[in-house]
Amino acid sequence: MAKYPEIKCTAFDISTNELLDKVTREHEAGQYVADVVHIKDQDGSLYNEYVKNKIFYLYQPADIFAHIDPSYTETATPLYIELTQLFYNAETYPDGSPITNIWQLTLPEWKGKIMMQNPLDNVSWGSWITGFCVGDVPDQLAAAYNPCPAPHDGV
């Protein structure tokens, strides 16, 4: 805003679901309030529901897209990679990760100690969780599973 003071901007820092609900209601009411929506399309649903129905229009600046193969930009803007990771408190666990297997987080001693965003409020988390169900991951999770409440090795 300092660089372009003639442009007035009102930013909304809201969840993916809240944003989609807001722009959908506004569009249905003929109120086109949002000029720019910055949002991730993890599973193609935004393209299929919003771009194809002309609620959103993809903005792809020519100076940035000139060097990108058009086959990669047909339905999205592939400008970055985002990782979803698990973190732990290094002050509490100075010797390193307190777990060696994701299944350990299902043990009673972790109850109330895990914090994450509600996956129902954010498409990104839903996609992350869905990732446990594709490719080799289900087999890796099954192989790492040990139902006894003891430390696990592996995944």
Side-chain angles (χ1 to χ4, degrees), residues 56-130:
F56 291 164
Y57 293 86
L58 287 178
Y59 173 64
Q60 299 177 329
D63 60 332
I64 294 173
F65 282 74
H67 69 284
I68 301 174
D69 181 334
S71 67
Y72 296 124
T73 63
E74 187 176 325
T75 62
T77 304
L79 297 178
Y80 64 91
I81 295 174
E82 182 176 301
L83 300 175
T84 301
Q85 301 177 14
L86 301 175
F87 297 92
Y88 65 90
N89 184 327
E91 290 179 14
T92 304
Y93 303 99
D95 297 328
S97 176
I99 65 165
T100 57
N101 183 310
I102 198 165
W103 288 109
Q104 287 174 273
L105 298 176
T106 65
L107 299 175
E109 65 256 30
W110 288 100
K111 184 175 183 174
K113 295 182 180 180
I114 301 168
M115 183 172 29
M116 68 180 281
Q117 195 172 18
N118 182 346
L120 299 177
D121 288 340
N122 187 305
V123 175
S124 298
W125 279 101
S127 294
W128 182 70
I129 292 168
T130 301

Side-chain angles (χ1 to χ4, degrees), residues 20-38:
L20 292 175
D21 184 53
K22 178 178 175 21
V23 295
T24 299
R25 281 186 286 109
E26 290 169 352
H27 184 268
E28 289 171 351
Q31 301 295 314
Y32 308 109
V33 179
D35 293 316
V36 176
V37 173
H38 184 251

